[in-house]
């Protein structure tokens, strides 16, 4: 007489639950939909290489001067933005540059990263800064320097602000030594600091470009750009300009679309700047049609300018 084996009810229920869980796991493994399409790091470095995506057509740089924002994801390069400032890890650098180039973009690169990595006792340490830059020595990205995909090496932010550096601003002489070190590693890559040219010395040999970011509290935009261009020319330096769209409006508020268009157009009225890069990318801020129209208008003005290197004369 044949006997059938009967499992206790609790074991049967456990087996059914485990089987259902296994089915869900297998289904998830089959899915190609990302859990959160916005969770990748800026530039899609944590996800698929955008240059390899079939919907991204290879596009040549459309001319003019690069126009874009800080912290701009690679997916945002295209018809409206073709320039950016980026901080990319060494392991992702080449793939990101390939993707940016495929979208017709150019980029200012920060190698040292956050200032906390090159401070000692709250003060700037050039030894630590060099160690941070040295992380990129083994990465072969020279072709992107040679073809202009890389606008330049953004060596440091606001060296003149004593509050950033424990009460001790970084002198123009130290900035020149940083530029000399960068040129020792990558002779053809322009060197850039984000500080107004009137802070810098008059005899830089290795430092190539300064940075002038307009805010409402800096007065009339026309007077501002004329002063910045004059200061850069006297020092034989290139000049990158832009707007602080997030906190540069009256009373520190965000700039309106009309302010962005008006003040940006004034800055682009000068033919001297080599790039126009603003602080900073924010998808929500940039999404209204009025802001898209303002940025597109500035892109057209930037594209009408003659392309130039940010290397000092």
């Amino acid at each position: 007489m044949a006997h059938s084996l009967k499992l206790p009810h609790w074991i049967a229920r456990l087996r059914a639950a485990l089987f259902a869980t296994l089915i869900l796991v297998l289904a998830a493994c089959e899915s190609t939909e990302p859990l959160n399409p916005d969770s990748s790091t800026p530039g899609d470095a944590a996800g698929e290489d955008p240059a390899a995506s079939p919907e991204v057509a290879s596009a040549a740089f459309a001319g003019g001067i690069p126009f874009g924002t800080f912290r701009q994801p690679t997916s945002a390069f295209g018809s409206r933005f073709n320039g950016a400032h980026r901080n990319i890890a060494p392991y992702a650098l080449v793939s990101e540059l390939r993707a940016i180039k495929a979208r017709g973009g150019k980029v200012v690169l920060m190698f040292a990263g956050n200032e906390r990595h090159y401070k000692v006792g709250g003060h700037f340490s050039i030894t630590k800064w060099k160690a941070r830059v040295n992380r990129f020595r083994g990465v072969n990205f020279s072709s992107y320097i040679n073809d202009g995909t890389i606008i330049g090496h953004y060596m440091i932010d606001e060296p003149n602000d004593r509050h950033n550096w424990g009460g001790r601003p970084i002198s123009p002489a130290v900035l020149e030594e940083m530029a000399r070190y960068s040129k020792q590693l990558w002779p053809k890559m322009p060197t850039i600091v984000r500080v107004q040219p009137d802070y810098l010395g008059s005899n830089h040999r290795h430092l190539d470009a300064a940075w002038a970011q307009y805010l409402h509290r800096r007065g009339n935009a026309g007077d501002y750009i004329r002063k910045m261009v004059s200061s850069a020319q006297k020092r034989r330096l290139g000049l990158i300009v832009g707007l602080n769209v997030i906190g540069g409006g009256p009373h520190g508020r965000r700039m309106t679309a009309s302010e962005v268009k008006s003040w940006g157009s004034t800055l682009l009225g000068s033919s001297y700047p080599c790039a126009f890069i603003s602080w900073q990318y924010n998808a929500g801020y940039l999404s209204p049609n009025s802001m898209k129209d303002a940025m597109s208008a500035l892109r057209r003005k930037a594209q009408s300018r003659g392309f130039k290197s940010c290397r000092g004369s």
Side-chain angles (χ1 to χ4, degrees):
M1 183 176 179
H3 296 278
S4 60
L5 180 62
K6 283 192 156 185
L7 296 174
H9 291 302
W10 68 270
I11 294 179
R13 287 196 299 270
L14 177 61
R15 184 171 66 179
L18 289 173
F19 181 75
T21 301
L22 179 60
I23 293 297
L24 289 173
V25 169
L26 290 175
C29 292
E30 292 289 330
S31 173
T32 58
E33 185 70 21
L35 295 177
N36 181 358
D38 297 323
S39 64
S40 61
T41 58
D44 307 309
E48 180 183 7
D49 182 353
S53 181
E55 66 270 18
V56 177
S58 180
F61 183 75
I65 63 173
F67 174 79
T69 63
F70 279 69
R71 298 183 179 178
Q72 182 176 296
T74 300
S75 57
F77 283 85
S79 60
R80 187 167 292 114
F81 300 120
N82 65 345
H85 168 286
R86 291 284 297 279
N87 182 357
I88 304 172
Y91 74 89
L93 182 61
V94 172
S95 64
E96 284 297 295
L97 289 173
R98 182 170 64 246
I100 289 167
K101 180 180 178 180
R103 289 178 172 269
K106 295 182 183 291
V107 63
V108 174
L109 290 175
M110 174 65 151
F111 290 156
N114 190 286
E115 63 191 43
R116 70 176 181 273
H117 296 300
Y118 39 94
K119 285 182 177 179
V120 174
H123 307 302
F124 175 72
S125 166
I126 194 168
T127 301
K128 285 198 165 190
W129 179 87
K130 288 179 179 179
R132 291 288 294 177
V133 171
N134 284 343
R135 297 176 303 143
F136 292 83
R137 294 184 70 162
V139 182
N140 183 7
F141 58 93
S142 59
S143 66
Y144 298 101
I145 298 174
N146 296 335
D147 68 17
T149 300
I150 297 174
I151 298 167
H153 177 189
Y154 182 103
M155 299 189 301
I156 201 161
D157 184 68
E158 296 186 327
N160 60 316
D161 190 341
R162 63 180 63 251
H163 299 293
N164 292 345
W165 311 106
R168 298 180 191 168
I170 304 169
S171 71
V174 172
L175 297 174
E176 176 66 9
E177 168 56 21
M178 294 162 68
R180 186 202 64 78
Y181 188 74
S182 178
K183 290 288 182 68
Q184 178 181 313
L185 301 179
W186 304 288
K188 296 182 179 180
M189 183 162 58
T191 51
I192 301 164
V193 292
R194 196 173 83 87
V195 69
Q196 294 183 170
D198 50 7
Y199 176 76
L200 299 168
S202 58
N203 58 347
H204 291 287
R205 295 180 53 219
H206 301 287
L207 179 60
D208 287 307
W211 200 296
Q213 180 173 272
Y214 178 74
L215 302 84
H216 176 261
R217 62 180 171 82
R218 288 183 172 157
N220 179 273
D223 293 340
Y224 179 76
I225 186 61
R226 283 188 290 272
K227 179 182 176 182
M228 293 299 102
V229 168
S230 176
S231 294
Q233 288 175 324
K234 288 177 182 177
R235 293 161 175 79
R236 302 173 67 84
L237 294 170
L239 184 67
I240 296 178
V241 298
L243 302 169
N244 182 341
V245 298
I246 297 300
H251 310 295
R253 62 161 170 75
R254 293 181 173 187
M255 292 182 181
T256 65
S258 62
E259 290 167 345
V260 167
K261 185 176 181 180
S262 174
W263 296 335
S265 295
T266 299
L267 298 185
L268 287 167
S270 171
S271 61
Y272 192 77
C274 59
F276 188 111
I277 298 175
S278 296
W279 177 265
Q280 67 174 329
Y281 186 87
N282 181 297
Y285 171 76
L286 295 170
S287 62
N289 287 334
S290 59
M291 189 59 70
K292 290 178 181 178
D293 291 343
M295 289 295 182
S296 293
L298 295 185
R299 165 64 187 271
R300 290 191 293 271
K301 289 182 180 295
Q303 195 167 329
S304 71
R305 297 290 172 265
F307 175 76
K308 56 168 60 180
S309 168
C310 287
R311 185 182 291 274
S313 59

